[in-house]
Every structure is written in structure tokens, then in C-alpha cells.
Amino acid sequence: MTGGAKRGVFSAGGVAAPLRYALFRRIWLASLLSNLGLMINGVGAAWAMTQMASSADKVALVQTALMLPIMLVAMPAGAIADMYDRRIVALASLTLGLGGSTVLAVLAHLGLVTPEILLAFCFVIGTGMALFGPAWQASVSEQVPGEALPAAVALNGISYNIARSFGPAVGGIVVATAGAVAAFAANAALYLPLLMVLFLWRRVSAPPRLPPERMNRAIVSGVRYIANSPSIRIVLTRTLVTGIAGSSVLALMPLVARDLLKSGAETYGILLGAFGVGAVIGALNVGLARERLSSEAAVRSCAIIMGLAMAAVALSRSSLISAAALVVAGAVWMLAIALFNIGVQLSAPRWVAGRSLAAFQASIAGGIAIGSWVWGHVADLAGVAPSMLISAGVMLVSPLVGLLLRMPSVGTQTEDAELLADPEVRLALTPRSGPVVIEIDYRVDQDDARAFHGVMQQVQLSRQRNGAYGWSIARDIADPELWTERYHCPTWLDYLRQRSRSTQHDRAMHQRAMAFHRGPAPIRVRRMLERPFGSVRWKDESPDRPTGTEVLPVAGVSGGST
């Protein structure tokens, strides 16, 4: 490689730029080894199942068992990643995976593994992955600066797919020479470097401005944010569709090797390795795709090319042709998944990053888990090749979803806005005081009514995804220039959180709404306690309670009133 090429790769916009940062580099290299272990484990589990059960659905259930936990526990895992130290969360989840792998290796050595036990421990290992993923991905922004984040996301995908390139081939050799026990033991051993690197990471985190949310409230907050964020909602839907359509490649690969190519574990490993090589190629070209194509055009192109490659695998009886088709399929699969991942990462503010990434993981893992189950049953009924052909057809028509749910255009990372100035408080409040009702009066020229109402629909989404409920906008029938925005927060503490969660985009939208205000008087804001029990002197002789200091308003420096 020439010096110029190196400079391009390691430049600020180059795919290898994040490797200039020592912390990210150490974690990335250790995660590469961990991913290698997971690939070896996956080959061992899938091939062990083919030896214990002849039905296609049992073999496909290995992928379901590994991926289903990600769908089931993703949102709690994301909430945990946002609420607690992400380093500690990552260490605990890796320990769970290490324990599951170790016990599975011991049971396999003793000859006690049955199909049900194998699926159960695949589920345990998958649960560790599910808990680890959001904490790991959300912490990437703490390891590299913002301009290197898209490349870091791509590099994490490359790490996984470098492991996919070599891990299955290594796994095939390990299984062929030493059996599934050695594959399970290798996975357990390769957890250790990542555990060590994370243990030595001295993560510096700013103390939270407010107490952490309870788990149930944190989950609700994450779901509410996603439900009121159209861009993230669209990306997650497209991710789910792609996962369902493309999962037959991963789920039926052992059967492609055994039934279509009439080969053994070595060929299975080579086929998965070919898919991984293609995935690395795709990840290396994420930046190029983002520069030259819109998100929608890139995702559509990936779906069409992958559908054709899947059809080629279904029709081929040559290992060479199948491997070549899988290189193409792996490239466009990884490219599409990386585009979805980057779209979520750049759209979510830090306070909900873990939950948003958990939802992304749930979408892709849920798609693979559901698709694996479906295509496994289809393969039992119609055969492996017809099942893959049907899956390819679904992938080819999946771009039609874009007619209704067009991929959003995502530029730079979402940044938090400066905190608002302190609200005026003259009433004794506790964290649980509430509900709190906020009313904001705007005076708007009648000629601007339609434009103002349109902006307020965007303000509604902003308020609701940050924690408000019961939002409404009303117009005075006796004074048509007077508009009143009204919304609730469950408690005073929730209101303080809602005020602190605005992004720069949210704040700009609020400023657009405020710019419509006319008249000599400023915008009027009323903050009211809907259930004022405890703030009232029930007897004349009772002393007034002092203004509360149990929960202080969030300290802020910028202007603004809401």
C-alpha cells in the first residue's frame, strides 16, 4: 500500500481513522477475538445439531436461539446501558456469555448435550450478546470523537465480519478434527481478552445531572422516544424486513453444505467464510456508498443484489459458484446493516442512545430469528433450494417498502442542546410531585396560522419523545391570534428530565415556533401542579411550607422558557 493510500485510510474520514485512538484500538482488537470465538461456537453448535437432528427446522433453530434473546431483552438491555456504567454492564454481560460457553463445553465433553440443551445454552450465550451489544455500541462515542463515529461503526462491523471470514473456516477445521467440544471451549477462551481490556478501561463519565430513571420508566421512555421519532421508526422497520428476508442465508447454510453441495463441516465453514469476506468488503465501502448514493438508493440496491445472490446459492451445485455468490451477498448484507446502524446512531441523542441501538439490535435479531424459523419450516415442507428461492424473491420485492417508508437522510451526529435557564419555583416540590401541566401562550398573526400549526406538529413529536404526554394545541375562538400549547409530565422530576433532553434540532424547532409570536408581551409560560395535595395549608394555623429544595431545577445557561 502506498503512503497516499495509507493517509487516505487513516485520515479523518478514512475507515481506519478510529484505530488511531488507543482505547478504541484495544477494545476493537479484543472484540475481534471475541467475535472469532462466537463464530467458531456457531459452527460447532450448528454442525452438532445436524448430527443430532435431521430436520431442517431444528438446525435453523440454532440461529433462532442465538438471536431471539437480542429481540426479547434488547430494550431492557438498552435501558441498563443508558442508566448505569456501560463498562460494568459490558463486563457483566460478557461474564454471562463466558459462563454459558464454559458450561456448554463441559457438558459436551461429558456427552450430556441434547438438542434441547444445545438450544438452551445457545440462548444463554445469545442473552449475553444481547446485554453486551447496546452498552458496547453506545460507548463507541466515548472512545472516538464525533467525526470518527461513522467509521468506528463500520469498523465494528468489519471486526465481526473479519471473524466471520475466518472463524467459520477455523470452526469447520476445529469441529472436523476435534469435535464440537473444542469449538465450545475455544469460544470460552476467546472471551478473556475482551474482559481484560474492559476491566482495565478507566472510563471517565460525567456525574448525572438528575437521578437515574427506574427500569420500567426507562423502558417506557425509550419506547416513547422511538415511537415519536419517524426517522428511527422507519430505519427499524426496514431493518426488520431485511432481516426476515435475508435470514435464510445464515439459517440454512449448514443444509446448503450438506444437502445441496453434498459436503461436510469444512465446506460449511468455507461458505460462511466467503460470506464474511464479502461482509468485510461491504463494510470497507460504507463511506463510499454514503457519499455516492442516498440512503434509500443504497438500501434498495443492496436488497436487489442480495436477492439475486441468494437465488444463485439456491440453484448452484458447485461449491465455487456458491462461495462466489455468498461473497456478493455478504458485501451487500453488511452494507445495508451498516447503513441502518449508522442511521440509528446518528439520529439518537446520548440519553437514549443505548435504547435506540437496542431497538436496532432487536429489529435485526428479531428479523433473523423469525426468518430462520419460517425458512426452516419451508425447507422441511418444500426443500432447501425452494426455501432459499422464496426467500430471495421476498428480498427482491422488499424495496417496495421504500415507497411508503423511505429511508431518511442522515448527516451528522445528533447533539444535545444547551440547558434551558432555571424555571421559577415558589412552591415546595418533591421529585414525585405531579403531574405537572405546562401551558404556553403564543400570539400569532392569522395569516401565519397554517404555517404555525405545521411547525407545532413537529414540536409535538419533540415534546412527546422527550417525555411529555397529553400534548395539545388550541386556538382561542374569541381571540383567534391566541394559541395555547399544553402538555403534561408525570412528575416534577420527569419535567426536569424532559427539559434536559432536547437536541439542537429540537431546540431549533422550538425557536421556529417561538418566532411566530407577535405582540409587545413575551410568550407566556405557566407551569402548574395538577394535584396540589400537600402544597396547601389545610388549617389557618398551619405554617407555610418553605419553598422546596429537594429537587432543584436543572442548572442552565441558555435562554428559553419551556
Side-chain angles (χ1 to χ4, degrees):
M1 183 180 290
T2 66
K6 288 182 179 178
R7 284 193 297 271
V9 169
F10 287 93
S11 64
V15 70
L19 295 178
R20 296 182 299 175
Y21 303 95
L23 174 61
F24 178 84
R25 184 171 62 250
R26 288 193 294 268
I27 294 177
W28 187 84
L29 290 172
S31 69
L32 175 61
L33 295 176
S34 177
N35 288 330
L36 181 66
L38 289 170
M39 292 297 103
I40 295 172
N41 180 84
V43 172
W47 198 253
M49 186 63 82
T50 63
Q51 304 305 303
M52 291 186 291
S54 58
S55 62
D57 62 335
K58 279 284 182 68
V59 176
L61 278 175
V62 172
Q63 279 294 322
T64 300
L66 288 169
M67 293 297 177
L68 188 61
I70 301 178
M71 182 177 69
L72 296 179
V73 307
M75 193 54 69
I80 291 170
D82 286 331
M83 294 164 60
Y84 302 106
D85 188 316
R86 288 166 180 162
R87 169 180 164 273
I88 301 300
V89 173
L91 285 169
S93 58
L94 288 172
T95 302
L96 175 63
L98 172 62
S101 299
T102 303
V103 174
L104 179 58
V106 171
L107 292 177
H109 176 70
L110 297 175
L112 300 177
V113 173
T114 64
E116 291 74 21
I117 289 176
L118 178 61
L119 291 175
F121 278 95
C122 285
F123 188 88
V124 171
I125 294 169
T127 301
M129 293 168 55
L131 292 170
F132 175 70
W136 175 45
Q137 293 193 54
S139 67
V140 171
S141 60
E142 302 174 26
Q143 301 164 24
V144 298
E147 64 271 13
L149 182 59
V153 172
L155 270 176
N156 283 339
I158 290 173
S159 167
Y160 182 78
N161 286 289
I162 288 175
R164 187 191 291 279
S165 303
F166 301 102
V170 174
I173 295 171
V174 169
V175 171
T177 57
V181 178
F184 301 147
N187 180 39
L190 290 172
Y191 272 107
L192 299 177
L194 186 53
L195 277 165
M196 183 62 66
V197 170
L198 289 174
F199 180 77
L200 295 176
W201 176 20
R202 295 295 175 254
R203 178 175 181 260
V204 178
S205 57
R209 297 188 296 264
L210 297 169
E213 295 177 279
R214 296 193 302 272
M215 175 64 73
N216 61 334
R217 297 295 288 273
I219 294 173
V220 170
S221 295
V223 172
R224 180 172 51 217
Y225 185 89
I226 293 165
N228 289 283
S229 179
S231 60
I232 293 180
R233 203 167 58 236
I234 289 172
V235 172
L236 296 183
T237 303
R238 299 293 294 274
T239 302
L240 179 66
V241 171
T242 301
I244 292 173
S247 58
S248 65
V249 174
L250 301 173
L252 301 180
M253 194 71 72
L255 302 177
V256 170
R258 188 188 71 182
D259 299 343
L260 299 186
L261 301 179
K262 308 301 182 184
S263 300
E266 298 92 339
T267 299
Y268 170 49
I270 291 170
L271 292 180
L272 278 180
F275 188 87
V277 168
V280 172
I281 295 171
L284 288 171
N285 287 280
V286 169
L288 185 64
R290 293 185 75 218
E291 289 175 6
R292 298 193 175 183
L293 296 172
S294 68
S295 296
E296 179 62 30
V299 169
R300 287 184 183 180
S301 300
C302 289
I304 293 171
I305 295 171
M306 186 166 184
L308 295 174
M310 292 164 63
V313 172
L315 297 173
S316 170
R317 298 300 179 268
S318 164
S319 298
L320 182 61
I321 294 175
S322 296
L326 286 169
V327 170
V328 175
V332 292
W333 170 267
M334 181 60 209
L335 185 57
I337 298 304
L339 290 171
F340 294 142
N341 193 334
I342 290 169
V344 172
Q345 290 236 32
L346 297 185
S347 298
R350 285 191 57 80
W351 72 269
V352 77
R355 281 161 281 188
S356 298
L357 288 166
F360 166 74
Q361 284 195 331
S363 294
I364 187 59
I368 293 174
I370 294 168
S372 297
W373 178 79
V374 170
W375 304 127
H377 275 279
V378 174
D380 265 344
L381 296 173
V384 177
S387 179
M388 288 204 67
L389 284 172
I390 296 170
S391 176
V394 175
M395 181 64 79
L396 285 170
V397 301
S398 65
L400 295 177
V401 176
L403 298 177
L404 295 177
L405 300 173
R406 188 175 182 84
M407 284 288 295
S409 177
V410 181
T412 57
Q413 185 180 15
T414 298
E415 296 184 5
D416 296 339
E418 290 184 350
L419 298 177
L420 294 170
D422 296 350
E424 183 180 4
V425 179
R426 296 182 180 177
L427 190 64
L429 297 175
T430 71
R432 297 175 61 85
S433 295
V436 177
V437 182
I438 296 87
E439 291 184 349
I440 307 167
D441 289 341
Y442 306 85
R443 186 161 292 278
V444 180
D445 288 343
Q446 296 192 51
D447 292 341
D448 294 332
R450 183 180 297 274
F452 175 73
H453 187 266
V455 171
M456 293 306 295
Q457 302 311 302
Q458 299 301 313
V459 171
Q460 174 187 5
L461 293 177
S462 168
R463 306 281 196 211
Q464 290 179 165
R465 62 176 166 253
N466 289 333
Y469 71 93
W471 186 94
S472 66
I473 185 74
R475 190 177 186 185
D476 195 316
I477 59 175
D479 185 0
E481 290 189 344
L482 181 61
W483 296 70
T484 300
E485 178 190 7
R486 192 173 196 267
Y487 61 92
H488 295 68
C489 289
T491 66
W492 175 245
L493 185 56
D494 288 310
Y495 173 61
L496 296 182
R497 288 197 181 102
Q498 190 264 343
R499 284 170 55 85
S500 68
R501 288 172 173 172
S502 293
T503 64
Q504 291 183 2
H505 175 76
D506 293 334
R507 191 62 50 76
M509 189 62 62
H510 300 165
Q511 294 294 338
R512 282 185 60 191
M514 295 167 66
F516 282 96
H517 179 73
R518 299 289 182 268
I523 292 174
R524 183 181 180 187
V525 182
R526 292 182 295 277
R527 302 177 183 90
M528 298 170 287
L529 196 61
E530 191 169 73
R531 297 175 187 166
F533 182 83
S535 67
V536 177
R537 277 196 311 167
W538 298 109
K539 296 180 180 180
D540 289 341
E541 63 271 18
S542 299
D544 286 321
R545 294 179 59 186
T547 300
T549 57
E550 296 171 85
V551 178
L552 295 177
V554 179
V557 294
S558 68
S561 57
T562 59

